[in-house]
Amino acid sequence: MSGANVLRGEAELRVGERVFVLRPSFAALVAAEGELGPLFALVERAADGRLGLGELTTLFWHCVRDRPEALTREAVGEAVVAQGLAAVTPALRVLLGQILSGR
């Protein structure tokens, strides 16, 4: 798996020993929106510091490119907790920026 392509609005997330690419594709964002509600509201909550850990994990989960069957949503959430919010904020910022600006 190659690294994230910033020109596509991709970011990276480490889960255990592996690094996964987060790609905010149309399908991924529609799936996330189906669980989280309107994406603009999600961006507003994030800007207000009201984005929950579950919401963050859900967004990341849906955006994992080429997600292997062995990867679980719980593992993504545990990785976020293990690294801390400060460490995953750059990836979140990239995804939210892509949601707002598009390609």
Side-chain angles (χ1 to χ4, degrees), residues 3 6-7 10 12 22 34 36-37 39 43 45 47 53 56-57 63 65 68 75 84 87 93-95 103:
V6 294
L7 297 176
E10 295 176 344
E12 292 183 347
L22 303 177
L36 300 170
L39 294 178
V43 172
R45 286 192 302 278
L53 183 60
L56 174 67
T57 299
C63 289
R65 183 181 75 190
R93 187 175 297 125
V94 168
L95 296 180
R103 293 181 199 185

Side-chain angles (χ1 to χ4, degrees), residues 6-21:
V6 294
L7 297 176
R8 284 191 175 162
E10 295 176 344
E12 292 183 347
L13 176 69
R14 177 171 293 283
V15 178
E17 298 298 316
R18 292 193 57 192
V19 175
F20 293 95
V21 173

Side-chain angles (χ1 to χ4, degrees), residues 49-82:
R50 296 182 296 114
L51 187 65
L53 183 60
E55 293 174 306
L56 174 67
T57 299
T58 298
L59 180 61
F60 284 179
W61 168 254
H62 286 293
C63 289
V64 173
R65 183 181 75 190
D66 303 325
R67 186 174 60 227
E69 281 189 38
L71 181 66
T72 65
R73 189 183 299 219
E74 182 178 325
V76 171
E78 290 295 330
V80 169
V81 170

